[in-house]
Amino acid sequence: AQGYIFKESNEPDNDSDNPYRGYDGPLKVTSYLKNRQNILFDVFEKSGEEAGYAVCKDLNGHRQEGFGPFDMTVDANTGKRCSAAEAYLRPALKEVSKEKLDVKTSTLVRKIIFDEDSLIGDNTPRAIGVECEDLQSGEIFEVHADKEVLVCLGAVGSPQLLMLSGIGDSEKLEKVGIKERVVHNTEVGRNLQDHLEVYLQYLCTKPVSLYPIAQWSLRYFPQRVAVGLEWFLRGTGICSSNLFETGAFIRSDAGVEHPDIQYHFIPGCVVGQLDFLPQHGFQIHVGTLRPTSRGELTLKSSDPKESPNIDPNFLSTEEDISDMRKAVRLADELVQQPVFAAYKGERFSPSPSASLGEDEVIDEWVRSSSHSAYHLSCTCAMGKVVDENGSVYGVSGLRVVDASIMPSMTSGNLNAPTIMLAEKISDHINGMNPLPESSLEYFTPDNWKSSQR
């Protein structure tokens, strides 16, 4: 896997002799260690040091436990986000003809088409194309495959399409009106995993947070225009950052060998998912990395336009509940460190009256305030729905290539690992040998069995 991470990434910020980094891949990656956008990022890292944790320059290097700058998929030269489309699709559109690559927008894939003869008797069903609908005109049309159909719709769309096409739990498919059942596999849509997060928020006593720039207010319109112009003209400044410039990976307890808690720090307080609190503040995104709860995705009907049922089943195990309590308390400990004294105001969420020493108080707050980290995965898991190369069990000519085929989540964000997975399967499809296994070593604390830090 490490070799494919190198293959995808392009990180001009880092030393070119760093063996843990890639430098000539299509995915632009940077961090703002050299040009921090806000002083509170440094304060957060210092709080970790004061609490007894390590501060690391590179959390994707040898030591992946501690506090330090977070990488972001931003082109350091332009300040623009480098998505998978920007890194892979748009260059390909410029390099190949429309006969080889034709992108259809406003188009819904309704179901996978199978060769009719292959559905007879003991034959192995063979995928030969997809049925689509133009969502603007309503036209139904088919696209046929010369070799294979690749499904890359994510942890929700991919299992939904398989089930709409007759691949899944036959009893459940029959109940929603799927007449043609191709492969009976009860694991399709199951094993749903996601990271759960909650925001620990404090008001800030100094005017150094993202407010007022993050506020839609005429009062601060000139400041907003200024930072926008800086980004348009130079590709620098606050608008060139995803504002998650620092964070941490720590262990929840002694006996945990590698980090199972992740913190993202942001110099502002977000209300809901989009709006900023109209006051100076800061927040720590608190999340556990290896939850044991498992959810499920099921069809509501045979209509491909109807969204499926998504049950993440968060906090359904006592272990997950306990780990989240630890993560919250360890996060609040950081804000009590001396370095935060000059910035820390009243706690905003949970409320100042909430006692974080009481399990029931934390549990209630987490259940009422937490949300998805948007890391849905594992619903077409390797070993259950697909093999190690993404080929769907029980049929031929059909692969799934996205985060849904992970058997379990990675202990961190899923963007880079998902692209890595796609790079590896792409090599297999093209008949190339996989890259050699990496021999790089990673840090494990000597005292992990007896100490939390």
Side-chain angles (χ1 to χ4, degrees):
Q2 185 71 62
Y4 284 96
I5 292 290
F6 294 160
K7 182 179 179 182
E8 76 184 58
S9 58
N10 184 329
E11 309 180 49
D13 287 355
N14 284 282
D15 301 328
S16 59
D17 60 350
N18 184 343
Y20 292 87
R21 294 284 177 167
Y23 300 95
D24 53 8
L27 189 70
K28 304 294 192 298
V29 178
T30 189
S31 71
Y32 280 87
L33 178 64
K34 300 175 183 177
N35 187 25
R36 281 276 168 82
Q37 299 299 314
N38 192 284
I39 190 174
L40 290 175
F41 293 125
D42 297 317
V43 171
F44 176 74
E45 289 182 9
K46 183 64 176 178
S47 75
E49 184 177 30
E50 290 180 345
Y53 298 99
V55 175
C56 312
K57 180 182 177 181
D58 184 5
L59 286 171
N60 285 310
H62 172 259
R63 180 173 185 135
Q64 300 183 351
E65 177 178 339
F67 287 62
F70 273 5
D71 291 306
M72 59 188 84
T73 47
V74 172
D75 188 334
N77 295 318
T78 64
K80 294 181 180 179
R81 179 173 180 261
C82 186
S83 64
E86 191 69 31
Y88 293 88
L89 183 58
R90 289 192 176 92
L93 285 169
K94 295 177 181 178
E95 295 170 4
V96 301
S97 65
K98 189 172 182 179
E99 287 73 25
K100 291 185 178 182
L101 177 60
D102 185 11
V103 176
K104 299 284 187 184
T105 58
S106 300
T107 301
L108 174 71
V109 178
R110 297 173 57 86
K111 67 177 181 179
I112 299 162
I113 303 170
F114 293 90
D115 178 71
E116 292 185 2
D117 292 338
S118 70
L119 298 175
I120 300 173
D122 296 330
N123 294 326
T124 299
R126 181 168 63 88
I128 59 171
V130 290
E131 179 185 279
C132 304
E133 179 178 353
D134 186 315
L135 295 177
Q136 294 182 331
S137 68
E139 176 192 2
I140 305 294
F141 62 96
E142 295 182 356
V143 178
H144 292 147
D146 291 333
K147 294 183 179 180
E148 293 183 321
V149 174
L150 307 181
V151 178
C152 311
L153 300 178
V156 174
S158 289
Q160 181 186 17
L161 182 61
L162 292 187
M163 289 187 283
L164 288 168
S165 307
I167 301 174
D169 187 322
S170 296
E171 183 177 341
K172 292 180 180 179
L173 297 184
E174 184 177 8
K175 287 181 179 178
V176 296
I178 303 296
K179 297 178 181 179
E180 188 174 69
R181 292 181 291 282
V182 177
V183 174
H184 172 64
N185 187 334
T186 60
E187 297 297 331
V188 178
R190 299 181 67 183
N191 193 45
L192 173 62
Q193 299 176 42
D194 190 12
H195 289 133
L196 187 67
E197 287 188 343
V198 68
Y199 299 162
L200 178 68
Q201 299 175 315
Y202 276 82
L203 300 182
C204 186
T205 58
K206 291 188 177 182
V208 294
S209 75
L210 293 177
Y211 172 78
I213 293 174
Q215 271 289 308
W216 292 103
S217 170
L218 289 175
R219 179 181 177 185
Y220 300 109
F221 183 73
Q223 292 95 319
R224 292 173 62 84
V225 170
V227 297
L229 284 174
E230 180 182 359
W231 180 73
F232 274 113
L233 297 175
R234 301 177 183 175
T236 59
I238 289 177
C239 292
S240 68
S241 169
N242 67 3
L243 301 175
F244 292 103
E245 295 184 18
T246 189
F249 291 92
I250 67 171
R251 293 174 292 116
S252 62
D253 212 339
V256 178
E257 188 170 4
H258 61 97
D260 59 342
I261 292 173
Q262 181 177 9
Y263 296 139
H264 297 75
F265 181 84
I266 184 170
C269 289
V270 178
V271 180
Q273 295 289 287
L274 295 175
D275 299 320
F276 272 79
L277 186 72
Q279 298 181 63
H280 285 286
F282 56 85
Q283 68 186 36
I284 302 174
H285 290 215
V286 179
T288 57
L289 293 176
R290 292 189 292 281
T292 56
S293 299
R294 298 292 182 264
E296 184 175 7
L297 181 145
T298 56
L299 296 180
K300 290 180 182 175
S301 73
S302 59
D303 182 357
K305 293 182 180 178
E306 184 168 14
S307 299
N309 293 306
I310 304 173
D311 178 13
N313 203 28
F314 288 131
L315 302 173
S316 59
T317 69
E318 186 57 40
E319 182 178 348
D320 288 355
I321 296 170
S322 176
D323 286 348
M324 187 60 84
R325 290 175 194 149
K326 296 173 186 176
V328 170
R329 287 171 176 146
L330 290 169
D332 196 62
E333 178 191 6
L334 298 171
V335 188
Q336 311 313 319
Q337 298 305 310
V339 69
F340 264 118
Y343 302 92
K344 180 187 67 173
E346 186 175 59
R347 195 173 67 210
F348 180 74
S349 182
S351 67
S353 62
S355 173
L356 298 187
E358 299 179 34
D359 290 352
E360 297 78 7
V361 171
I362 294 180
D363 295 347
E364 181 181 356
W365 175 62
V366 168
R367 288 190 179 279
S368 64
S369 305
S370 58
H371 61 86
S372 167
Y374 309 115
H375 293 169
L376 278 73
S377 55
C378 309
T379 48
C380 297
M382 286 186 187
K384 295 180 178 180
V385 179
V386 303
D387 67 12
E388 70 276 15
N389 297 310
S391 296
V392 178
Y393 289 138
V395 300
S396 65
L398 180 64
R399 294 181 199 261
V400 180
V401 190
D402 55 38
S404 73
I405 70 173
M406 294 180 178
S408 61
M409 281 189 298
T410 54
S411 296
N413 298 61
L414 266 63
N415 184 51
T418 303
I419 296 174
M420 174 276 296
L421 179 152
E423 282 271 18
K424 188 173 188 297
I425 293 180
S426 177
D427 278 359
H428 177 81
I429 292 171
N430 287 321
M432 300 168 61
N433 291 325
L435 295 177
E437 183 177 352
S438 172
S439 60
L440 291 174
E441 297 181 352
Y442 292 89
F443 169 83
T444 300
D446 295 332
N447 65 342
W448 70 268
K449 292 183 180 180
S450 58
S451 178
Q452 181 264 330
R453 68 193 78 174

